[in-house]
Amino acid sequence: MTAMAFLTSTHPTSWNVCSALYIFILLLPEAKAATLDDSTPQNGGGSQCGEYSNQLMENGMCRLVATLPQLDERRCPDMFRCTDEVSYWLHENEERKDQIVALKETISELQEELRNHRHRIKVLEMQSEEKIHLNISLEQRFHELEVHYAEATSLLHLQGTLILDLQNQLHNLTLLVDTVKRSPGCSINTVRPNPLLNTQESMHPDTHYVGNCPIDCASIYYNGIRRSGLYTVVPAQAGLPVEVYCDMDTDGGGWTVIQRRVDGSVSFDRSWRDYRDGFGDLHSEFWLGNNHIHDLSIQGDYSLRIDLEDWSIQHKHALYQSFRLVFVRESSRQTLQTSSLSCLLHNRSCVCSVEDEEHQYRLHVSGFSGTVQDSFSWYHDKQGFSTPDSGNICAEISHGGWWYNQCFYANLNGVYYRGGHYTPKGRGPLGPDGIVWYSWKDSDYYSMRKVSMMIRPRNFQSRLSP
């Protein structure tokens, strides 16, 4: 029977066993002279009782080889009495090695579990830190929101106070504007041209100057108001306020609009009184009134601009450097004769008469330029104004008020015909009665889609600082 064992010198149990064997072997007489080295195996024993050998390996293991005899009833030398003990220790060593391996595995598992626990703890710590940071951020944000809410509440309260104050100011201004419109309280001063007058005042030489009140839309423009709309002006001679529409966009602005046709919503077949005082809606179609046109145009040297648009949306204009509407008296006898002629032409049995109004508004217009051929000044200049009820046959035929000659080449207060073209068999069988500018189509039977007339001082300068 052969027994073999490897004992390591590094393990405490293996070292004790190997040491015991060495001590035991050194006591034998045969082993006194023998020494163990790192490479030479040591032999002992006889062939009857078996043989043994031991060797210390380079890796620190103790190698012991023993061969026991298979003889019955014979005992081996005393040195083999330790066989059972060696076997016991070898068995114990194996069990301890197994235990150590098991312990190593257990330790490894415990270390792995410890690492996992540490990782989980680290994750929990990080989560806790994140929650703490989040809580701090939320608290900080909540505090900031509270501060912002307080600021917003204060601003809202302040804004409400400002809005209320602005509403009160607007109400007061509205009342003030209404009061000014009813009674502007302007002072009228007659002055001569003075080289010391500023640029704005010198725009109207040889005119009446109205203190604190604009005399036309050009004055409003010079006061810094550059938006088109309704404004109140006080012509210098009349001294009474009149509401006008100011065009602040066309050709630099500053225009006072005296007539407009846009959609046929207002009938221009009106009486002398209507044309004298004005009618219509300043926002759409209107005639400003001969009295107002007269008061505005005699304040100085005014220009007239006429804008025309046909039914194909083509736009042209005529500009006249000089425009004035003069208030004159005509003999009532001439007026009655004209009225009688009108009655005879209409084959009426009537008593022809007119009002006691003997005044006429004579047109003075000249200095043409523009993008359309002139159909107005060359034929209508120095003509008096007539209406259908004034006894003028042309006014009756044309169903409108105008400066008729025999009868017209331009008639911007005629009947509004949609589509432009109309025929003599229409409303006016005696002749054309539309909104006519003859040179546009070289025809009396084409009615314009939109027209407007507006005036401003001849020496007006746009973009002049107030």
Side-chain angles (χ1 to χ4, degrees):
M1 181 178 67
T2 304
M4 299 178 66
F6 292 92
L7 301 177
T8 176
S9 62
T10 60
H11 195 281
T13 305
S14 300
W15 175 253
N16 291 335
V17 174
C18 191
S19 300
L21 288 175
Y22 278 125
I23 295 170
F24 178 74
I25 291 171
L26 290 173
L27 292 176
L28 296 178
E30 294 85 357
K32 288 181 180 180
T35 58
L36 295 175
D37 54 29
D38 292 339
S39 60
T40 304
Q42 301 294 324
N43 298 324
S47 59
Q48 292 180 348
C49 293
E51 295 179 353
Y52 69 92
S53 65
N54 57 71
Q55 183 179 5
L56 183 62
M57 308 298 290
E58 291 181 357
N59 57 3
M61 298 292 291
C62 178
R63 181 182 182 187
L64 178 63
V65 180
T67 303
L68 301 178
Q70 299 293 331
L71 298 177
D72 296 335
E73 296 181 358
R74 287 192 65 176
R75 298 183 62 182
C76 293
D78 292 339
M79 62 175 291
F80 292 104
R81 291 177 185 174
C82 67
T83 302
D84 294 336
E85 186 176 354
V86 170
S87 298
Y88 172 77
W89 285 109
L90 290 174
H91 179 70
E92 286 293 322
N93 183 60
E94 291 296 329
E95 287 183 353
R96 285 192 175 109
K97 285 174 66 177
D98 293 339
Q99 291 176 358
I100 288 171
V101 172
L103 286 173
K104 285 183 178 180
E105 291 178 355
T106 302
I107 290 171
S108 178
E109 292 175 357
L110 290 175
Q111 287 176 343
E112 181 66 23
E113 188 174 355
L114 179 61
R115 282 193 296 269
N116 292 336
H117 280 300
R118 286 177 176 174
H119 178 70
R120 285 195 292 272
I121 291 172
K122 186 67 175 178
V123 171
L124 291 175
E125 286 178 350
M126 293 177 64
Q127 291 178 352
S128 177
E129 289 179 358
E130 290 178 356
K131 288 181 179 179
I132 292 172
H133 180 69
L134 179 61
N135 289 335
I136 293 174
S137 299
L138 288 175
E139 289 179 359
Q140 210 170 21
R141 181 61 179 163
F142 182 72
H143 178 69
E144 291 176 355
L145 289 175
E146 284 183 335
V147 173
H148 291 163
Y149 176 75
E151 293 177 353
T153 304
S154 301
L155 290 175
L156 184 62
H157 177 70
L158 179 60
Q159 185 179 18
T161 304
L162 291 175
I163 290 175
L164 182 61
D165 185 48
L166 289 174
Q167 287 176 344
N168 292 333
Q169 292 183 19
L170 180 61
H171 178 69
N172 294 334
L173 286 174
T174 303
L175 295 177
L176 181 61
V177 169
D178 292 339
T179 303
V180 169
K181 283 184 177 180
R182 294 188 186 96
S183 178
C186 301
S187 59
I188 303 174
N189 300 316
T190 303
V191 299
R192 295 178 178 272
N194 190 328
L196 298 179
L197 293 175
N198 59 35
T199 306
Q200 178 181 342
E201 292 173 340
S202 63
M203 291 294 100
H204 303 284
D206 300 322
T207 64
H208 292 83
Y209 287 85
V210 182
N212 303 323
C213 291
I215 63 175
D216 56 16
C217 291
S219 300
I220 294 175
Y221 182 96
Y222 291 142
N223 286 330
I225 299 175
R226 309 293 167 80
R227 178 176 294 183
S228 298
L230 301 185
Y231 299 94
T232 300
V233 298
V234 183
Q237 182 174 356
L240 296 175
V242 56
E243 194 170 28
V244 297
Y245 185 90
C246 295
D247 184 335
M248 300 298 188
D249 302 311
T250 302
D251 190 26
W255 296 100
T256 304
V257 183
I258 62 175
Q259 185 260 19
R260 186 194 292 133
R261 307 292 297 276
V262 291
D263 55 12
S265 60
V266 175
S267 172
F268 276 64
D269 189 358
R270 299 294 187 111
S271 67
W272 175 268
R273 179 174 295 179
D274 288 340
Y275 273 98
R276 180 192 66 189
D277 300 333
F279 60 86
D281 183 358
L282 289 174
H283 291 285
S284 59
E285 296 195 333
F286 68 92
W287 179 260
L288 185 60
N290 289 333
N291 277 346
H292 300 316
I293 297 173
H294 165 265
D295 293 339
L296 288 167
S297 64
I298 65 171
Q299 297 182 111
D301 294 330
Y302 276 81
S303 297
L304 170 69
R305 178 185 172 104
I306 297 177
D307 284 277
L308 307 164
E309 183 180 301
D310 65 8
W311 290 89
S312 62
I313 321 299
Q314 185 180 7
H315 180 270
K316 295 181 181 181
H317 77 275
L319 181 64
Y320 301 91
Q321 290 297 319
S322 178
F323 171 82
R324 179 175 294 190
L325 193 60
V326 179
F327 186 67
V328 297
R329 291 180 180 272
E330 296 285 343
S331 76
S332 59
R333 182 178 178 181
Q334 180 181 354
T335 304
L336 288 174
Q337 288 177 351
T338 307
S339 177
S340 300
L341 177 61
S342 173
C343 292
L344 292 174
L345 287 174
H346 284 80
N347 195 20
R348 299 189 213 162
S349 245
C350 61
V351 178
C352 298
S353 63
V354 295
E355 298 181 15
D356 294 336
E357 179 70 64
E358 297 178 353
H359 305 140
Q360 286 193 345
Y361 300 90
R362 181 164 292 176
L363 173 68
H364 292 269
V365 59
S366 60
F368 167 78
S369 63
T371 59
V372 65
Q373 291 184 9
D374 183 21
S375 292
F376 184 48
S377 64
W378 71 271
Y379 191 73
H380 295 272
D381 182 35
K382 297 182 177 58
Q383 299 301 312
F385 196 87
S386 302
T387 58
D389 65 336
S390 66
N392 186 295
I393 184 63
C394 294
E396 291 188 34
I397 293 174
S398 301
H399 302 97
W402 194 246
W403 299 278
Y404 294 106
N405 192 342
Q406 296 295 331
C407 281
F408 62 80
Y409 273 85
N411 179 24
L412 304 186
N413 290 340
V415 179
Y416 193 91
Y417 286 104
R418 297 186 181 278
H421 295 283
Y422 67 101
T423 65
K425 297 180 181 179
R427 182 175 175 182
L430 296 180
D433 60 352
I435 304 174
V436 175
W437 191 273
Y438 182 84
S439 64
W440 190 283
K441 295 284 187 180
D442 288 333
S443 171
D444 287 323
Y445 291 95
Y446 184 85
S447 184
M448 306 303 296
R449 179 173 178 265
K450 292 182 180 181
V451 297
S452 65
M453 303 173 66
M454 45 193 175
I455 63 174
R456 76 179 178 189
R458 184 189 305 175
N459 52 1
F460 173 84
Q461 298 179 13
S462 62
R463 300 297 176 187
L464 189 65
S465 300

